[in-house]
DNA sequence: CTGTTAGCGCTTTCAA
DNA sequence: TTGAAAGCGCTAACAG
C-alpha cells in the first residue's frame, strides 16, 4: 500500500527547480519576457504545466505595487433587475479591459455601506463604483486623496468631490408632465418612492417643475410617498383614486412602484392615464408608457468613466448626466375622463 | 507656498512608529489579541485612525496561508434576471458568513469559462461556484485534488466529480404534461431551447417521459428547438401553429422563450393552453402558468452547500436536486379547442 | 540571457 | 506583555 502524498500547490520555485532555472527566470518566462530564450521558456512552461502551476496573484500584486485588477461595485440588491443590469453593463466593459468585478450589497442598510467599502479598499481594488445609500461620504475623503478612483452611480456623493453619473431625473419627469398635459390632463398625480432617496426628491422636483411650466398649481393631495411595500402602494393608490379629488393622470417615480401597482391594481390603472419612470421587462406587452433610459448602458458608461479616471487620476472629477427618453406605449396617451 | 506631500498609504509600521510600539504589537493590537494591554491597544488604534490605516489584505492573506475571504461566482450573463437572482441568493448567505463574491461572466462562450475560472483561482478564492457552460470540466481535476470546493449550479459537471445543485427538470416537465393531459390535451407541443444545454435536454426527456406515462405517442413534429433569438422563436411558433398538426397545448422550456413568445405572439398564445418552465416577473399579472422554483433560494442553497464543503473539504461531494412546483394561473388550464 | 538578492506588508514563531 | 526576526510567493534591481 502506497501512501498518497497530500497534494499541495506548486510554487514558482518548484517550477524553476523542475525546469532547472532560477525562480526569477521562471517568473520572466511565464510572463513572456522577450529577454528569455525560447528554449528555456518552453522548458519552464512545460514544467509549469506538469506541476499544474497557478501563479498566486496575491503575492504578485503585493510585490508589484499592491494594485489589483479588481474593481469594487457596491449596490443595494442584486435581485433587483435594475441593479443587476447596471452591474452587467459595467462588468462587460471591465472584462474587456482585463478587470474583474467584486460585488457587494448593502442590503438597503446605509450603515453597511462604509463597512462594505472598507473591505473592498482593504482588498486594494483599483477603483470603486458605488450606488450610494448613505447620506455622508466624507469617510472616503482619505481614499480620494490617495487617488483611488471613486465613481458614484445613479446618485451623487454627499460631502465629497468625486465622479458621478446620474440620470436627468428632473428633466425626465417634467417632460412626462408636458406629455400628459398635451393629452389634456390638468390633474396629474404622483406616486413616489421614499423621500430619503435623492432620485425620488429629484423626480419630485421635476414634477413640480413640469406643473409650473404648464401653469398648473401644485396640489399636495395629489402626491403620495410610498415605502416600497406592495401593501403601502396599494393603499396609497386606492386613497388617491377614491378621493373626490381624483387625478386623471398618474406618474409613478420608479419601476418597483409601477410593478407593484400593476400587481395590485392593474384594472383600476386602466381608468387613468399612467406614466412610469424606468423601463421594465414586458412593459411593451402591457402597453405601459415610460420615462426610460438603458440601465445596461448606464453601467457601461460608469465603467468607461472609471477607466478614464484610472488613466488620469489627477483630473477634475466629472459629472455625467444621462438624458431620458419618453416611450409612449398607450397607457399615458389616454384622454381625461369627462368628469 | 508649501509643498503638499504626495499622500501615501500608511503601513502597519507607520502605525507602530506613531504608537511607539513594534509592528508585531501593532498587528496584535489591531486584531484584538487579548495578550495586549488595553492601554497600548488604545494607543495603536488611535494611531491607526490618525493615519487612516487600512490593512492590506493581500499581504495579510499571503502571510496567513494564502486563502482569501472571496468566493468566485462564474455565470453567463448578469443582465439575465435569473442569473442575477441566483447570485443575489448566494451573496446573501456569503455576506452573512463574512465572505465576498467575485463575479465573472463567460458571455455565453464556453471557451471563456476556463479562462475566467483560472483568474479566480489565481486570486485564491476560497471556493468556486459555477453555472457551467463548457462540456468538459476535467481542467478542474487538479484543483479538486487540492481541495478547493467546487460547486456546480443548475447543471452538473462533466468529467469531474464535484458538488452540484440542480433542478428536477425531468420531473417538472413530466408533471406539466400530466397537468395538461388532465385538462384533456393529447396534442402537446414543446418549444425548447438549444439542445447543447443540459437543462434543455433534461426538460426534453421529461416531456417524453410525461407523454409516455400518459400513453401519448411522441410526435417529433410537435417539438421545436430555438436558438434564443426573438426572430427564431416567432418563426418556430408560427410554423407550429399553422401546421395542420397544430397542438392544443404548448410547453416552453425556459423563461427567455416564454418572454419572447409573449412579446411576439401574445394573442395567438391565448388560443392554446400554455405552460412555461421558470417563473418571471409579472407572470402572475399575465396569468401565465409555470413550472416554478425560487431562483434566489437556489442561490442560497448553493451557498450553503459551499459553506458546508469549506468546513468539510474531504467529504464526498453531494448532488442536491430541487423540486419544482406547478403554479396554475390560467394559461395552462384552458381546455382543448373543438377541432 | 540568467542568477542573486532584496523586499512588497503583513503575521507568526521564538525569545525575552 | 512585547520585540526581533523570519518568511508567505512573487518580481524588480542589479550584476554578471
Amino acid at each position: 500500500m502506497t501512501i498518497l502524498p497530500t497534494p499541495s500547490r506548486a510554487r514558482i520555485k518548484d517550477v524553476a527547480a523542475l525546469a532547472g532555472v532560477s525562480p526569477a527566470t521562471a517568473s520572466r518566462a511565464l510572463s513572456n519576457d522577450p529577454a528569455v530564450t525560447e528554449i528555456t521558456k518552453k522548458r519552464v512552461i512545460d514544467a509549469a504545466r506538469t506541476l499544474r502551476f497557478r501563479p498566486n496573484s496575491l503575492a504578485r500584486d503585493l510585490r508589484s505595487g499592491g494594485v489589483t485588477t479588481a474593481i469594487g461595485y457596491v449596490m443595494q440588491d442584486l435581485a433587483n433587475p435594475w441593479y443587476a443590469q447596471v452591474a452587467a453593463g459595467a462588468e462587460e466593459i471591465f472584462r474587456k479591459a482585463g478587470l474583474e468585478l467584486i460585488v457587494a450589497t448593502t442590503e438597503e442598510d446605509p450603515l453597511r455601506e462604509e463597512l462594505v467599502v472598507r473591505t473592498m479598499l482593504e482588498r486594494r481594488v483599483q477603483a470603486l463604483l458605488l450606488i450610494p445609500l448613505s447620506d455622508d461620504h466624507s469617510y472616503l475623503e482619505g481614499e480620494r486623496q490617495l487617488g483611488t478612483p471613486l465613481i458614484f452611480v445613479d446618485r451623487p456623493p454627499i460631502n465629497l468631490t468625486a465622479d458621478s453619473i446620474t440620470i436627468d431625473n428632473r428633466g425626465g419627469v417634467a417632460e412626462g408632465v408636458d406629455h400628459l398635459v398635451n393629452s389634456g390632463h390638468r390633474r396629474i398625480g404622483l406616486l413616489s418612492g421614499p423621500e430619503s432617496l435623492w432620485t425620488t426628491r429629484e423626480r419630485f422636483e421635476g414634477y413640480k417643475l413640469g406643473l409650473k411650466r404648464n401653469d398648473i398649481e401644485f396640489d399636495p393631495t395629489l402626491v403620495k410617498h410610498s415605502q416600497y411595500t406592495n401593501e403601502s402602494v396599494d393603499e396609497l393608490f386606492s386613497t388617491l383614486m377614491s378621493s373626490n379629488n381624483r387625478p386623471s393622470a398618474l406618474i409613478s417615480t420608479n419601476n418597483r412602484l409601477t410593478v407593484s401597482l400593476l400587481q395590485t391594481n392593474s384594472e383600476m390603472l386602466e381608468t387613468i392615464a399612467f406614466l412610469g419612470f424606468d423601463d421594465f421587462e414586458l412593459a411593451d406587452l402591457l402597453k405601459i408608457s415610460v420615462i426610460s433610459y438603458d440601465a445596461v448602458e448606464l453601467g457601461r458608461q460608469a465603467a468607461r468613466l472609471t477607466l478614464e479616471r484610472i488613466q488620469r487620476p489627477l483630473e477634475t472629477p466629472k459629472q455625467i448626466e444621462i438624458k431620458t427618453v419618453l416611450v409612449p406605449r398607450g397607457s399615458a396617451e389616454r384622454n381625461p375622463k369627462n368628469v
Side-chain angles (χ1 to χ4, degrees), chain A residues 179-180 183 185 273-275 287-289 329-334:
Chain A
H179 184 74
L180 292 166
S183 301
H185 296 276
F274 179 77
L275 179 62
K287 301 194 171 57
I288 301 297
S289 305
R329 293 194 180 115
S331 72
E333 289 68 37
R334 297 180 195 117

Side-chain angles (χ1 to χ4, degrees), chain A residues 69 71 87-101 296 300 303 307:
Chain A
T69 56
I71 305 283
E91 204 269 347
E92 175 193 328
I93 301 298
F94 287 135
R95 186 201 324 132
K96 289 176 182 162
L99 300 168
E100 302 114 61
L101 210 62
V296 177
R300 287 197 202 100
L307 295 179

Side-chain angles (χ1 to χ4, degrees), chain A residues 28-266:
Chain A
R28 285 189 276 250
L30 291 172
S31 62
N32 205 19
D33 187 324
V36 178
T37 339
E38 283 307 317
I39 176 90
T40 48
K41 210 173 267 184
K42 185 180 177 329
R43 294 235 314 280
V44 171
I45 290 171
D46 285 350
R49 188 163 303 147
T50 305
L51 297 176
R52 288 208 186 89
F53 173 67
R54 281 192 208 286
N56 183 331
S57 66
L58 294 177
R60 185 212 308 261
D61 294 341
L62 177 60
R63 172 62 235 227
S64 9
V67 171
T68 66
T69 56
I71 305 283
Y73 177 75
V74 176
M75 35 95 223
Q76 276 77 72
D77 178 17
L78 256 184
N80 180 327
W82 187 86
Y83 289 112
Q85 286 190 321
V86 175
E91 204 269 347
E92 175 193 328
I93 301 298
F94 287 135
R95 186 201 324 132
K96 289 176 182 162
L99 300 168
E100 302 114 61
L101 210 62
I102 301 185
V103 304
T105 66
T106 54
E107 220 184 358
E108 310 283 356
D109 174 1
L111 295 177
R112 269 188 55 83
E113 183 186 292
E114 184 172 351
L115 188 75
V116 151
V117 162
R118 185 196 312 279
T119 311
M120 300 221 156
L121 294 174
E122 292 184 1
R123 246 181 217 309
R124 297 298 188 261
V125 292
Q126 206 171 101
L128 195 59
L129 265 82
L130 208 52
I131 304 194
L133 191 60
S134 99
D135 55 4
D136 182 11
H137 300 104
S138 56
Y139 69 92
L140 280 165
E141 179 56 24
E143 205 61 32
R144 186 192 68 77
Q145 287 174 17
L146 288 169
T148 307
L150 304 170
I151 282 76
F152 285 71
V153 183
D154 195 45
R155 302 154 210 168
I158 301 175
N159 300 331
L160 183 78
T161 306
D163 293 277
S164 74
I165 177 161
T166 53
I167 304 295
D168 179 15
N169 297 291
R170 293 188 188 212
V173 177
E175 198 187 323
V177 172
D178 291 344
H179 184 74
L180 292 166
V181 169
N182 285 344
S183 301
H185 296 276
R186 307 287 297 174
R187 303 194 45 71
I188 300 172
L190 186 75
L191 184 65
S192 166
E195 286 190 271
S196 57
L197 275 181
W198 180 80
T199 43
T200 297
R201 294 195 302 271
E202 288 291 303
R203 290 168 194 180
F204 189 22
E205 288 305 315
Y207 168 75
K208 290 193 277 192
L209 186 70
L211 293 180
K212 193 164 187 183
R213 75 188 182 195
N214 285 285
D215 297 315
I216 300 174
E217 202 179 335
F218 169 64
D219 177 353
T221 66
L222 292 178
V223 177
K224 300 285 174 192
H225 286 282
S226 145
Q227 296 301 324
Y228 273 148
T229 59
N230 266 13
E231 301 75 49
S232 82
V233 173
D234 180 23
E235 204 177 306
L236 293 174
F237 182 66
S238 302
T239 312
L240 200 59
M241 294 299 280
S242 62
S243 84
N244 47 20
N245 201 21
R246 192 181 191 278
S248 70
L250 180 67
I251 296 178
S252 115
T253 65
N254 69 56
N255 57 5
R256 291 177 68 184
L257 291 172
T258 306
V259 168
S260 260
L261 267 185
L262 284 166
Q263 283 168 332
T264 58
N265 290 79
S266 72

